[in-house]
Amino acid sequence: NDIEYIYSTYFNKIEDVRFSSKVGKYVGYTEPGLMYAKNWNKDASVLAARKAQKETYCKNHIDAY
């Protein structure tokens, strides 16, 4: 429960948009990022794929760390 999966996209060293498993959706930080987040949050398959990343990547590697 203490694990958080974060996926961020950057443009010119500025974070545009971030997915956080604790929030459960994308959050935009710039004008283009807000548009990306809005579109990605509408698509259930995109959100499901990101949520599955926590299970497939984080939880499978926790014993190694």
Side-chain angles (χ1 to χ4, degrees):
N1 291 333
D2 294 339
I3 300 169
E4 181 179 10
Y5 172 73
I6 297 173
Y7 175 83
S8 298
T9 61
Y10 292 82
F11 181 73
N12 285 339
K13 299 182 183 179
I14 298 172
E15 186 175 26
D16 275 336
V17 66
R18 173 189 295 178
F19 174 85
S20 169
S21 63
K22 288 194 180 197
V23 176
K25 64 178 184 175
Y26 287 92
V27 177
Y29 297 105
T30 63
E31 191 171 331
L34 291 170
M35 292 186 328
Y36 299 145
K38 181 181 174 185
N39 290 330
W40 292 339
N41 287 331
K42 284 189 219 175
D43 192 340
S45 64
V46 171
L47 288 176
R50 283 288 165 221
K51 290 176 183 177
Q53 287 294 310
K54 178 180 177 183
E55 301 296 322
T56 59
Y57 183 77
C58 296
K59 292 194 176 180
N60 285 333
H61 291 90
I62 191 144
D63 292 331
Y65 296 101

